[in-house]
Amino acid sequence: MNVLTTRRDPRTPGLPSHPQHAVFFPTFPFTCRLLPPWLWLWLSALIPTAFPLPPATDATAGAAAASPGVPPAFTLPEETLRRASQGDEEARAEIALRYLWGEGTPVDYPLALSYARQSSHPAALLTLSRALHFGLGTPRDRDAAVRLRRKALPALEHFSEQGSGVASFCLAHAFLSTRPPDPVTARAYFEKALQQGCPLARAPLGHLLLEAHPSNPARGLELLQEAAREHSAQAARHLATFHRIQGDAANEMRQLQAGAQLLDPHSLVSLGLLRANQGSASEAARLFQRALHQWDEFGEAQTLLGFCFLRGAGVPRDPKRAFELATRATVNGGAESCLILAQLCETGQAATQDYEAAYIWASIAVARGCSDPHSIALRNRLEERLPPADRAKAQARALQLLQELEKQLPRDP
């Protein structure tokens, strides 16, 4: 009997839930989610076999490159830019948040870090903490991320009480990141942030009201539409989900294109999947590559691009590149990436043929949620290739490796 048959919940219950004491991190919108089983089947069949203040317009060139023919119209608030240039700590923190989330300007993690490092505002500290934890524009350093977060959270409460909208905005995200999340308190802080003049709160509040906790869907949709008109990547992404649920493919595509123009990694990947379903493998691969260029630790983009290189879908076939991307994706929570490794180890295309290693990776894929018939059949076929003694050893190694990988995950709360 295989010891790895169900997905293990990595979360630990009973931990402190108040954000002042928590050491968890705000949810990255649409964080690296497990790909549906049909995606593996589709991809398998697609093709056989000191920091100076930077100019606020730097990111628009990248947006234009991502969406040729679409003139960018992104501008940051002039008053905020003026205050930032005069040394205002909160203004610099707000600009850092705008570049982090893609609010009114394309996502640009290096620019977010540059502004955040010039501000002592606790919202800037939380931006740095998030970047260090998820590897956004900087190498991961989770110990440093935890230290910054613990320093920022108590100060955020004080700044929020003193009327700081960006502090209230960050506190709202902190309450969404507790275990279990506290959407009621988060909503109250997003509302407070709006009242304090922080428009960044419109998209996440609209999402809470419309989709996550639909206590007022009409107002939630209105807030998202308002935010989208002001070039909010979060709003575009959430509206795309809303239109997909409503069966409105045209508006889903339009919102994903808006998010992609804002260089939002999640919108780029979702748009790439739509392009792939429309038969444009080369465009899909380009979008996956662009998402990975934005965030090189994005596990879903690593996995999808790995499949493209494995099958030669939209890019020249390159098993070694597929192996490299899949290996990185396993550390970021990928399940389907383990299938890539299993197949490559089985065939010996990118490394020495090793049925035991292939079985280990296939077992981990199933344990992480790949329960479709193709994945189960792959694991069972590899299991039959191993002698009973080697099989037991491989199962023990698979369980050990799964536990090691789970410890390395950048936990979503």
Side-chain angles (χ1 to χ4, degrees), residues 30-77:
F30 284 24
T31 46
C32 183
R33 57 191 183 275
L34 290 175
L35 306 177
W38 57 262
L39 182 56
W40 162 262
L41 298 174
W42 169 81
L43 284 165
S44 297
L46 184 62
I47 295 182
T49 20
F51 304 96
L53 278 176
T57 56
D58 280 0
T60 60
S67 301
V70 181
F74 307 123
T75 56
L76 290 172

Side-chain angles (χ1 to χ4, degrees), residues 1-7 359-360 362-364 366-367 379 394-395 397-400 402:
M1 183 179 192
N2 197 291
V3 296
L4 295 172
T5 55
T6 58
R7 178 173 170 79
Y359 172 66
I360 288 172
S363 297
I364 293 175
V366 173
R379 184 201 62 187
Q395 288 178 353
R397 176 57 184 149
L399 180 60
Q400 179 187 7
L402 175 63

